[in-house]
Amino acid sequence: MSNPTPGLGQRSHLVRGELDELAGELPHSYSPARVLAQHSDRWLVSEPTPDGEGSLPPRLVPARARVREQAAGAPVTGDWVALDEGGAIAFVLERHGAITRRAAGDVTAAQTLASGVDLALITEPVGAVNARRAERFVALAAAGGVDAALVLTKADLDPDADLVAARLARELGLVDAYAVSASTGDGLGVLGTALRPGVTAVLLGPSGAGKSTLANALLGVERMATGEIRATDGRGRHTTVTRELLPLPGGALLLDTPGMREIGLWDGGAGGAFADLEALAADCRFADCSHDGEPGCAVQPVIEPERLAAWRKLAREQAWVDDRRAAAQDREALGRHYARIKRQPGFDKRSRS
């Protein structure tokens, strides 16, 4: 393992003008910082130098109680935050490029996985590609306004990996696809062209897809813990347990994430994962076409049945989530209304009469 996480690096966090704009949004005596990782009840942050040309050494800071307990959740990796004079996180700045999923086991709560993301690298391993799973990751990225690209890992195991990656990317409606091998280095240079200075990228994918191994290859050091490959299916063991923002040698920032078993949608539905389907739907004869046998449907003759079924499933799931969220909000509003009634003078007498 290498030394502890370094700072954001030379001009890799913000350019001068952006830094001035960010600082101008903060109250007097507050300073901006970016969250690199969370460690229990402390956050590792990096602060830009006054001239905006580099970063100060990272440090662990606490957060005010109301920040830890806010409805949007505590600060997450990638967030820009405001530090008070005592060095505590006073509030989280408005989030952009957030990757948010439905919290596991709670349909009415969201979990933000990363913030400030410019590019989501959807990773799928050769030999275990799951298009339906990748669609969900693309949908999460699209809901946060984040561009996505497909990365097919362990490409040395399949001589046709480039073709597989290109075909899957087209199915997902993605422009960019990369077939890479961390062990041989194939494809890493091409992938590196997407990781321009100042870009924040996040690796999204299942456990054992080789995300940490890929992160190490891009970093040039064994920074992230990795597991041995299983002989049965060629997949690695789950090793990443936290989300950490790491500077790459070329000036980009990379965020590895733990593998996810549940990829529940939270907002935005299928999003960009079905952009081609939605474009075709504009030419359907009927505006409310369900693409299920209606005359004049422009979608069903073109889109594969399996993919159309996946779109319907995600649409139903998003409608179900929206319904549960609305019901929860109604219950909360009713509870607040009843609490106000109880506080009114004479409420106890009325309730006994």
Side-chain angles (χ1 to χ4, degrees):
M1 302 292 287
S2 67
N3 293 328
T5 305
L8 293 181
Q10 183 80 358
R11 297 184 61 83
S12 64
H13 48 283
L14 285 175
V15 298
R16 178 71 253 179
E18 292 171 327
L19 178 58
D20 290 340
E21 182 179 351
L22 179 63
E25 297 175 359
L26 301 180
H28 179 66
S29 77
Y30 285 71
S31 59
R34 196 171 191 194
V35 176
L36 301 179
Q38 181 179 359
H39 300 280
S40 185
D41 60 348
R42 293 290 188 273
W43 286 261
L44 185 69
V45 301
S46 182
E47 304 160 80
T49 55
D51 61 6
E53 295 296 325
S55 56
L56 301 173
R59 57 171 173 150
L60 285 170
V61 300
R64 293 180 181 178
R66 62 180 176 82
V67 176
R68 298 193 302 269
E69 299 165 2
Q70 61 187 351
V76 301
T77 303
D79 269 336
W80 278 97
V81 297
L83 302 182
D84 61 22
E85 291 180 303
I89 298 176
F91 57 89
V92 177
L93 277 68
E94 182 181 358
R95 281 175 177 158
H96 298 282
I99 305 294
T100 303
R101 69 168 175 175
R102 188 174 71 246
D106 188 351
V107 71
T108 64
Q111 179 191 17
T112 299
L113 305 172
S115 177
V117 177
D118 303 303
L119 177 64
L121 300 176
I122 313 301
T123 60
E124 284 288 332
V126 163
V129 172
N130 186 323
R132 306 288 80 84
R133 177 175 60 204
E135 282 168 348
R136 287 178 171 269
F137 282 119
V138 173
L140 292 187
V146 178
D147 292 334
L150 175 69
V151 179
L152 199 64
T153 59
K154 309 176 186 180
D156 55 297
L157 302 180
D158 186 347
D160 296 325
D162 287 316
L163 296 176
V164 175
R167 184 166 56 247
L168 179 57
R170 286 195 300 271
E171 184 176 337
L172 297 173
L174 300 179
V175 175
D176 298 316
Y178 307 93
V180 303
S181 170
S183 59
T184 66
D186 290 343
L188 294 179
V190 179
L191 175 59
T193 61
L195 302 173
R196 300 180 302 276
V199 167
T200 296
V202 62
L203 292 169
L204 297 176
S207 298
K211 298 187 302 298
S212 295
T213 302
L214 175 59
N216 285 336
L218 293 170
L219 287 165
V221 295
E222 291 295 315
R223 180 66 180 81
M224 310 301 293
T226 59
E228 295 179 356
I229 300 297
R230 292 195 298 254
T232 53
D233 57 9
R235 296 184 63 185
R237 293 183 294 108
H238 172 83
T239 51
T240 301
V241 295
T242 188
R243 290 174 284 275
E244 189 172 3
L245 195 61
L246 300 166
L248 297 179
L253 300 168
L254 183 67
L255 201 162
D256 190 11
T257 60
M260 286 181 277
R261 293 183 177 87
E262 294 187 35
I263 318 168
L265 302 183
W266 175 249
D267 197 12
F274 294 89
D276 57 336
L277 187 153
E278 293 172 0
L280 287 169
D283 294 327
C284 289
R285 179 183 301 178
F286 303 109
D288 60 348
C289 183
S290 64
H291 322 306
D292 190 20
E294 293 91 339
C297 177
V299 172
Q300 199 166 10
V302 179
I303 301 298
E304 299 86 351
E306 296 82 4
R307 191 154 178 261
L308 192 53
W311 172 77
R312 293 194 182 101
K313 181 178 180 180
L314 289 180
R316 289 194 301 269
E317 180 180 329
Q318 186 65 60
W320 179 77
V321 170
D322 291 343
D323 180 67
R324 297 302 186 277
R325 289 168 62 185
Q329 291 169 357
D330 289 344
R331 288 194 297 271
E332 291 176 2
L334 182 62
R336 289 193 296 269
H337 175 68
Y338 184 65
R340 286 195 297 270
I341 293 176
K342 290 178 65 176
R343 289 195 296 269
Q344 293 178 358
F347 173 80
D348 289 341
K349 292 182 180 180
R350 293 199 301 271
S351 63
R352 289 195 295 267
S353 61

